[in-house]
Amino acid sequence: MDAATQSDAPASAFDRLNAAQRAAARYGTRDAHGGFQAGPLLVIAGAGTGKTNTLAHRVAHLVLEGVAPERILLLTFTRRAAEEMTRRAQKIVAEVLKARGNAPTVRLPWSGTFHSIANRLIRRHAARVGLEPSFSVLDRGDAADLMDVERHAQGLSGLEKRFPRKDTCLAIYSHRVNTQGTLRATLDHAFPWCAEWEDELTRLFRAYVERKLANQALDYDDLLLYWHAMLDDTALAREIGEAFDHVLVDEYQDTNALQAEILKSLKPDGRGLTVVGDDAQAIYSFRAARVENILEFPRHYAPPAQVIALEENYRSTQAVLDAANALIAEGTRQYAKTLRATRGRGERPRYVSVADDAAQADYVVTRVLEARERGVPLRHQAVLFRNSHHSDVLELELVRRNIPYVKYGGLKFLEAAHVKDLLAVLRWADNPKNRVAAFRALQLLPGIGPATAERCVTHFEAAGHRWETLAGFAPPPLAADHWPAFAQLMHAISAPEGPWQGQIGQARDWYLPILEQKYEAAQARAGDLWQLERIAMQYATRERFLTELALDPPRATGDLAGAPLLDEDYLILSTVHSAKGQEWDSVYLLNLADGNFPSEFATGSPGQIEEERRLLYVAMTRAKRELHLIAPLKYYLPQQTRRGDAHVYGAQSRFMTRAVMTRLEPAVWPPMEAAELARDAGAPRVDVAARLRGLWT
């Protein structure tokens, strides 16, 4: 086993590191020829333990030990992470060399994302793999369009039963490529509703590949595929592997099967390979990431890789970490670690029981404003949630109380395409002359494009905007089976005497099959539509409902919604997945109940349950000082609101075990008034127990 060296670098350069960080940064030894050698190293970097700083110091240490910067390969998952790592390493090296009286600029030419490095290597060896150096790289949009061209060419866009859309086809293709499994496994595991199309998808993907080859074009996934294929060639693998003395990988728990095999091919014996990650933060299996990569890493080499755990946490208070440690300790397969805080004890996280999501929104807004008055800016506070639609009621309350916010991990509720689809149906029903809404609503049906939509609208206008005339319109063959139901829906919900509260439910029931075919993550998106129906119940008329929504129009799209720079401060709203790597003074986690944590869609296997546990762990460890876990006691059933106040009671999350709950501070919202408590304390007692006993004497 290699031992940590005693570099002749000034001690001050590494004094900032704790013992474990220093051992990881300086792991290795000089060989008989004066070169620096290191066996495979796995750094288990717990949440908030200074992973980036440690990896940057390791890069700097390698340079200071005489490793040529151009022979260091640094792989990350984002360009920003690569730039930050390089910047820190350059700063450390400069500090040391300046103390020696020499301060040259150090460049790391081979630092970047897996895909950017793959692109460079493929271009360098293009002739060896049958490509021209000027090949094109398709972005996701271009790749989806090319997939769509092949859908049409293969006759798959004109089937009687609707075939998956281009984006779904590309997602299936990507999942199968990155898992290195079979198409059948991808369909069964991630896209069960597409399982019947296995043969057609195989034919489509084969044609898609041929089209790319003919065009000298690679898509996002091809970059890894080509890199992997290059390393299958013994001579080329040796040539590429020998170009790098050291390979360092950040966020190793997020690698997929393809990336792990690439690394193994680059460094078959593991010498010079350092990977850094945290198995407790492996939460991206839906992107084909494999937690097994990090769990099984040591035994892939002989002798096994050295494992160094970073457990000293610089982010959170110990009270927050105690709860997080108790949660993750109950996991099944993991690297044992206990995070220790450097920030002091702090207050215990609060486990807050609220009546429903309206009370939940009230609690969050009240606590956020209280924290702001104590000097915690809004942007230092975050509300986290499992699915994007979980923030719907809260967003409405924030708008009502004039609290600016930004939302990560999804669009603002009213900007989501599927919500806009349903609203288009309602808006056309509300105003038959609304051509914009009509065009969007009509093109939801298969086989109807802009030209057919124009023809239909012209027919409708010529008939005096009478809804019953839609039934007489002749749609294209692909839409023929769907048209009667659509015409009947529009006629039914347009009737002014009809009950408004039921209309959105009718429209939603009609739209759900289209939603499943048109978009990925249909179950989560369906939750948005149920929530829209609940919101609509607050308005007496359809016109009032649609007008109120129109008065607060969408302002932005993309992962960052809203316009935070228009205000001095803003609250952060984020899905837990998008919050990974972030930290805030105060964190509020919504809907901590079974069905959300863990998700009801993740209860099919022990492995999925464990990933849900890790997801909750990630959420909890984002908090620096205050953590609020909020558990509604009941959830309304939007699909049943026409029958009254239908609801179910929330079950306590299975992750909130006795060991975890003892580290939390229980609370109820809204709290009982002091006067009410005092009154009850002084009032005569009613001996109910005696009455119960009397029933049986």
Side-chain angles (χ1 to χ4, degrees), residues 533-547:
E533 186 175 359
R534 284 198 56 203
I535 295 170
M537 294 293 293
Q538 303 174 29
Y539 296 89
T541 66
R542 180 177 60 201
E543 181 276 332
R544 179 68 182 274
F545 168 66
L546 295 173
T547 300

Side-chain angles (χ1 to χ4, degrees), residues 172-451:
I172 295 170
Y173 175 87
S174 180
H175 189 278
R176 182 257 181 269
V177 164
N178 287 294
T179 58
Q180 287 291 282
T182 64
L183 177 58
R184 168 52 56 188
T186 285
L187 293 175
D188 289 345
H189 175 70
F191 300 89
W193 70 271
C194 299
E196 64 178 300
W197 300 111
E198 182 180 7
D199 292 340
E200 291 82 358
L201 286 168
T202 299
R203 190 171 77 247
L204 170 63
F205 295 156
R206 187 182 301 119
Y208 172 65
V209 168
E210 291 297 334
R211 176 80 63 148
K212 288 185 295 181
L213 291 172
N215 293 346
Q216 285 284 298
L218 274 62
D219 66 22
Y220 191 74
D221 299 307
D222 288 334
L223 294 172
L224 293 185
L225 277 176
Y226 267 79
W227 191 4
H228 183 265
M230 288 161 59
L231 296 177
D232 278 344
D233 181 87
T234 305
L236 192 50
R238 185 183 306 111
E239 182 179 341
I240 295 174
E242 289 178 351
F244 305 109
D245 294 330
H246 291 270
V247 178
L248 299 93
V249 185
D250 190 21
E251 302 285 11
Y252 186 68
Q253 78 280 352
D254 294 336
T255 54
N256 58 39
L258 203 56
Q259 290 161 326
E261 291 177 9
I262 287 171
L263 294 172
K264 180 68 174 175
S265 298
L266 278 175
K267 295 295 177 184
D269 60 0
R271 301 194 70 80
L273 179 60
T274 297
V275 301
V276 181
D278 183 8
D279 57 297
Q281 298 186 69
I283 59 173
Y284 291 118
S285 66
F286 65 93
R287 295 180 185 169
R290 295 180 72 252
V291 68
E292 290 79 12
N293 288 351
I294 193 169
L295 292 175
E296 298 170 359
F297 182 82
R299 67 180 182 85
H300 286 169
Y301 304 96
Q306 172 81 334
V307 180
I308 298 176
L310 308 183
E311 299 178 292
E312 199 164 342
N313 179 284
Y314 298 91
R315 174 188 298 158
S316 307
T317 60
Q318 190 61 52
V320 170
L321 296 181
D322 284 346
N325 286 335
L327 170 73
I328 205 65
E330 296 181 339
T332 53
R333 189 181 175 202
Q334 60 183 299
Y335 290 101
K337 54 185 168 297
T338 302
L339 299 183
R340 303 181 302 274
T342 62
R343 298 175 63 95
R345 184 69 205 165
E347 297 181 358
R348 286 200 298 174
R350 306 187 79 199
Y351 180 83
V352 186
S353 299
V354 298
D356 51 26
D357 50 6
Q360 178 174 245
D362 181 64
Y363 174 82
V364 169
V365 172
T366 300
R367 293 304 186 198
V368 163
L369 293 178
E370 287 178 355
R372 180 174 177 270
E373 290 304 311
R374 295 196 307 269
V376 182
L378 293 178
R379 63 184 177 276
H380 291 177
Q381 304 182 61
V383 182
L384 306 183
F385 30 85
R386 177 65 179 80
N387 293 314
S388 183
H389 71 270
H390 287 175
S391 66
D392 296 344
V393 174
L394 175 61
E395 289 186 57
L396 293 173
E397 184 67 8
L398 291 171
V399 170
R400 188 181 75 82
R401 297 175 69 166
N402 195 31
I403 299 175
Y405 68 92
V406 294
K407 184 176 179 181
Y408 297 90
L411 302 175
K412 266 189 175 180
F413 176 55
L414 299 181
E415 295 176 30
H418 51 289
V419 174
K420 292 169 71 175
D421 287 347
L422 195 62
L423 288 175
V425 173
L426 294 172
R427 286 186 171 120
W428 193 24
D430 193 64
N431 178 9
K433 297 181 179 180
N434 189 333
R435 290 176 63 95
V436 174
F439 269 64
R440 186 178 188 116
L442 287 167
Q443 292 183 77
L444 295 176
L445 279 75
I448 295 185

